[in-house]
Amino acid sequence: MNLLYFVLTAYGLTQLLCYGKVFAKIRPSGYFWTCPMCMGFWVGVFLCGVNPFTELFTYELTTVNFLICGWISSGTSYILNTVFNDHGIKIHKKGGD
């Protein structure tokens, strides 16, 4: 369950930072700030660093865990971002007019 909580937290924070209107006026322009894969990595590193202050997930504070949490967050945030949008599950039709 720790991993599921981590992934959902990382995805939520990544979406908020990349696309949330809350940060629209202060969000710098640039690819990094709108890329869920890039932002997801740093969100994972951040969450690994603050995990001693939460009971949702607990990981040891090691360099390897910081990297692994960043990779997991980056990958899952990107995958979830390509599957879901504001209107639900993204469905793309191939071919046809």
Side-chain angles (χ1 to χ4, degrees):
M1 285 304 274
N2 281 345
L3 185 59
L4 179 62
Y5 292 145
F6 177 81
V7 166
L8 292 175
T9 303
Y11 173 66
L13 183 55
T14 299
Q15 288 296 100
L16 184 64
L17 292 173
C18 286
Y19 307 114
K21 289 186 181 187
V22 174
F23 296 110
K25 291 186 180 187
I26 62 170
R27 184 183 303 117
S29 62
Y31 184 76
F32 171 80
W33 295 96
T34 59
C35 172
M37 187 177 283
C38 302
M39 182 60 73
F41 175 81
W42 293 108
V43 164
V45 170
F46 170 77
L47 290 176
C48 185
V50 299
N51 86 75
F53 304 104
T54 181
E55 294 180 14
L56 288 177
F57 42 85
T58 54
Y59 303 109
E60 289 183 39
L61 297 179
T62 65
T63 303
V64 173
N65 281 350
F66 274 93
L67 290 173
I68 290 172
C69 286
W71 297 331
I72 289 170
S73 174
S74 176
T76 56
S77 292
Y78 178 75
I79 290 168
L80 291 172
N81 188 63
T82 58
V83 173
F84 299 104
N85 65 13
D86 290 345
H87 306 291
I89 297 174
K90 292 181 186 178
I91 299 174
H92 295 284
K93 297 180 182 177
K94 287 190 172 188
D97 296 296

